[in-house]
Amino acid sequence: MEQEIMNILRGLMAQKSITNTEDEILAENWMIDYFRRLPYFQNYPELCGSFPIPDDPLRRNTVWALVKSKETAEDHFLPTVVFMGHHDVVSADVYGDAEPWAFDPEEITKHLSRESLSAEANTDLLSGEWIFGRGSCDMLGGTAAQMALLAEMAENTLEGDDASESKKEISSSETGTESQAEEIKAIRGALLFVSVPDEESFSVGMRGTLPLLEKIKEEHLLDYRLAVCAEPNRRTDDGKAQVVSAGSIGKLLPVVLVQGKLVQIGSYREGLNPLGILSRIVAATEGDESFTERFEDELSVPPVWMYVRDLKDGYDFSLPRRAAGYCNVLTFHKTPARVLAYFLGKIKAAVTDASQPVAVKTWVTLWQQAKQRDGFADFSREIMEQAAVLLKEQHKTFPEVTLWLMQRTLDFVQADEPLVLLGFAPPYYPAVRSEELDHEQRFSKYIKALARWNDIRIEPYFTGVSDCSYCGLPEGEKSPVYQANTPLWGELYQFDMAALERLHIPFLLLGPWGKDLHQVGERVNRYSLTQEYPEMLKKLLRFVWLSD
């Protein structure tokens, strides 16, 4: 399998599938061609394909392939493992002069500048034990291993290896030993591979794939017991244990728009500078450790402002009329309602000593005010049409268009008074832990078995934000507060929260050992990728299929 994994990895990297470009489709076509060449899918062509992402201006697709047991009773749901990952990669600009070779794992090692690498990366490069290049680590390496394993399982299933073998019962007290696992070579349930576009920016792919997951589940009577995301894993500080995540941190993006009173600077005391108010809000929240969360040994990152500036088009000798910013908030259990309340409190405190009264409003309040004005129906239709053009044709970001909508709406209601407007911009990643998604306590068996086979450390949350946020929706995360206060929620940005409540797929972020993802030293460990990771997946697959 080692050679097959390397062949797939080279093929995928060569597509240069940089996120939010049409080159993502090249990777999709390559994967589809790979699956369709396999004898299993030639016999069952209906079991693999591409699923168009709804309303995607780049016309990208999710690639999927399903291998399942031949014998299935009509009323029996097949125990199913979902292999999930993404085929987009970040830009290779950081490679500088070596950029032309960034997508070739052999050539890039010859052209990397030693000065551009850390001492650790240089050591790894000289060792020959690491595969370098854009996407090798995040996450085409893990995707290649998953594809190769699915191909092997498909071949075994097609040949009927052990097809008549009776199922071996495994009680909760048994260990799922390697000897038992090795006796079963073919699929004893179902294995679904899913690779999505656009994981690296706004998770358009995963959000758009929810209908596909529901459709396949219903058509093929699948019981989604576990999803394995091929996110590259790190090692503990001593280098011995692999760190595997059983949850994914949440992410919210509060947006603050401040309207002051525009005057010529010579009349400063008669006006109100929105930058002063915004600065106080930023100072009160940036890095605020009191708003972090602790779960077991993990501590969330405090609020981090990603954008703060006035909204003037150019320079003149007057105060800016408006200023705005948006802030990254990562959560373990804090709901959108609590995040909104936190910022409202900080905003109200920041305007208490302003030289003039300053109103504080949430987006839902402003939008309700707009609905009372004549011409609202035409106004709302026009700005949503224009917003769609900005997003899909001019490729503006969600935060940019959110601020544009806020300003247009303030203009529509003719709001001239100083005020602070608070809302949310996409993306929204719900905080999810697998233990909260598993009502039958199977998941604890899986991680205990995994820990017996391998030297691993389970962490409750992956803190880098991942598509696993869309594997299910814990109680309390289905928040009308978020929907009501997000100007783009609806046709321009959404995901099916009801589908997440129905799917509820426990997951592991379990991939090969990688380092320096998104950086010039991005690399994946060769032995981990081609030996350890596939064997770990094989044992996990068989344990899931055979355990009750």
Side-chain angles (χ1 to χ4, degrees):
M1 182 180 289
E2 178 177 357
Q3 189 58 52
E4 186 66 6
I5 291 172
M6 289 304 303
N7 289 340
I8 296 172
L9 178 57
R10 292 187 190 97
L12 286 175
M13 288 178 64
Q15 307 312 307
K16 303 180 181 180
S17 52
I18 295 172
T19 193
N20 282 327
T21 70
E22 293 180 352
D23 289 340
E24 289 186 72
I25 298 174
L26 298 178
E28 295 162 9
N29 292 338
W30 193 95
M31 285 189 284
I32 286 293
D33 290 343
Y34 175 85
F35 288 128
R36 294 207 183 281
R37 288 196 301 270
L38 299 177
Y40 181 87
F41 294 111
Q42 290 177 0
N43 280 25
Y44 305 104
E46 73 280 5
L47 295 184
C48 73
S50 58
F51 178 78
I53 301 301
D55 301 318
D56 182 43
L58 294 176
R59 297 193 175 103
R60 292 167 294 187
N61 303 269
T62 291
V63 177
W64 66 276
L66 174 66
V67 182
K68 60 179 184 175
S69 300
K70 294 180 179 179
E71 301 144 354
T72 309
E74 290 186 2
D75 61 346
H76 177 67
F77 287 82
L78 288 171
T80 303
V81 176
V82 181
F83 281 171
M84 59 182 289
H86 63 87
H87 46 264
D88 63 316
V89 300
V90 297
S91 166
D93 293 346
V94 295
Y95 284 85
D97 292 341
E99 182 179 356
W101 300 278
F103 297 94
D104 187 318
E106 279 76 34
E107 288 297 318
I108 188 59
T109 60
K110 304 173 186 177
H111 294 87
L112 280 173
S113 166
R114 300 303 188 267
E115 290 75 19
S116 67
L117 299 176
S118 65
E120 181 181 352
N122 266 311
T123 299
D124 289 345
L125 182 66
L126 294 172
S127 74
E129 297 174 1
W130 294 80
I131 302 164
F132 282 71
R134 178 59 78 233
S136 60
C137 170
D138 186 15
M139 67 169 53
L140 301 183
T143 296
Q146 290 187 345
M147 289 176 66
L149 183 51
L150 182 135
E152 180 181 277
M153 292 291 179
E155 181 180 0
N156 291 344
T157 300
L158 186 63
E159 292 175 356
D161 288 351
D162 301 310
S164 61
E165 180 180 273
S166 60
K167 178 182 177 181
K168 293 178 173 62
E169 298 295 332
I170 296 181
S171 70
S172 59
S173 63
E174 289 179 315
T175 63
T177 63
E178 289 83 343
S179 60
Q180 287 174 318
E182 288 303 325
E183 292 176 5
I184 299 174
K185 298 178 181 178
I187 294 283
R188 301 305 304 159
L191 175 59
L192 174 63
F193 171 88
V194 174
S195 183
V196 302
D198 183 51
E199 189 266 1
E200 297 291 3
S201 53
F202 295 107
S203 289
V204 168
M206 188 61 185
R207 288 188 287 110
T209 299
L210 298 178
L212 172 68
L213 290 172
E214 286 207 297
K215 179 175 181 287
I216 294 175
K217 179 180 180 181
E218 293 168 3
E219 286 185 358
H220 298 281
L221 299 177
L222 305 181
D223 175 12
Y224 291 150
R225 294 192 175 182
L226 181 69
V228 180
C229 178
E231 187 75 34
N233 292 156
R234 59 184 174 88
R235 295 289 171 104
T236 52
D237 292 340
D238 60 11
K240 295 179 180 180
Q242 182 166 336
V243 180
V244 178
S245 304
S248 194
I249 200 166
K251 172 186 167 71
L252 289 158
L253 200 66
V255 176
V256 176
L257 174 62
V258 183
Q259 179 169 279
K261 183 176 180 182
L262 189 156
V263 295
Q264 194 249 22
I265 290 177
S267 303
Y268 172 76
R269 292 179 180 82
E270 299 171 17
L272 184 65
N273 192 341
L275 285 171
I277 294 173
L278 182 59
S279 297
R280 288 194 287 273
I281 296 169
V282 171
T285 54
E286 170 70 22
D288 182 7
E289 295 290 348
S290 72
F291 199 63
T292 59
E293 295 180 86
R294 181 176 292 279
F295 187 88
E296 296 179 356
D297 294 331
E298 285 194 276
L299 185 68
S300 69
V301 173
V304 179
W305 285 84
M306 311 294 287
Y307 174 98
V308 178
R309 61 157 293 173
D310 69 88
L311 299 178
K312 290 175 68 171
D313 291 330
Y315 172 80
D316 57 38
F317 195 64
S318 60
L319 295 180
R321 185 182 181 214
R322 290 169 180 164
Y326 43 83
C327 182
N328 190 81
V329 177
L330 300 179
T331 67
F332 290 154
H333 286 107
K334 284 187 169 70
T335 63
R338 287 188 63 187
V339 173
L340 193 79
Y342 166 80
F343 275 89
L344 280 173
K346 296 296 185 180
I347 290 168
K348 289 176 180 178
V351 302
T352 54
D353 59 352
S355 60
Q356 300 184 29
V358 179
V360 178
K361 295 183 179 182
T362 57
W363 168 256
V364 66
T365 302
L366 179 67
W367 194 242
Q368 290 298 324
Q369 181 182 345
K371 286 181 177 180
Q372 308 306 313
R373 298 186 67 86
D374 292 339
F376 173 77
D378 290 339
F379 164 75
S380 62
R381 184 184 65 255
E382 289 173 4
I383 63 167
M384 289 305 170
E385 289 174 353
Q386 292 173 39
V389 171
L390 290 172
L391 286 169
K392 297 178 181 181
E393 297 181 17
Q394 298 185 26
H395 304 296
K396 298 293 185 181
T397 66
F398 286 128
E400 286 177 316
V401 180
T402 296
L403 283 172
W404 178 84
L405 275 168
M406 285 179 162
Q407 292 195 83
R408 288 295 308 275
T409 305
L410 283 175
D411 293 341
F412 176 72
V413 301
Q414 298 179 347
D416 292 326
E417 76 279 11
L419 61 83
V420 181
L421 180 62
L422 173 65
F424 292 110
Y428 170 34
Y429 290 84
V432 183
R433 280 195 314 121
S434 290
E435 291 179 356
E436 298 172 335
L437 303 179
D438 180 17
H439 300 302
E440 299 181 22
Q441 301 304 311
R442 289 190 186 122
F443 183 75
S444 61
K445 297 179 185 178
Y446 302 157
I447 59 175
K448 287 177 182 177
L450 191 63
R452 283 191 293 270
W453 303 325
N454 304 93
D455 191 356
I456 64 169
R457 190 188 81 191
I458 300 291
E459 62 179 7
Y461 287 99
F462 175 72
T463 56
V465 181
S466 80
D467 278 346
C468 290
S469 279
Y470 306 107
C471 283
L473 200 66
E475 194 68 29
E477 285 288 342
K478 186 178 180 180
S479 175
V481 169
Y482 181 81
Q483 298 175 46
N485 286 287
T486 302
L488 289 174
W489 184 267
E491 294 183 6
L492 299 179
Y493 177 84
Q494 64 174 318
F495 54 89
D496 191 341
M497 291 191 179
L500 291 188
E501 290 181 301
R502 292 188 296 267
L503 285 170
H504 261 222
I505 311 172
F507 60 86
L508 287 169
L509 288 109
L510 172 61
W513 182 18
K515 297 181 183 180
D516 292 348
L517 55 163
H518 297 192
Q519 301 176 46
V520 68
E522 178 176 355
R523 59 201 182 278
V524 64
N525 182 268
R526 187 181 301 272
Y527 180 75
S528 174
L529 174 64
T530 61
Q531 302 292 329
E532 287 182 330
Y533 185 53
E535 288 305 311
M536 196 183 306
L537 290 180
K538 287 180 183 180
K539 293 174 183 177
L540 188 58
L541 283 172
R542 290 156 182 159
F543 187 84
V544 173
W545 288 330
L546 292 177
S547 57
D548 292 323

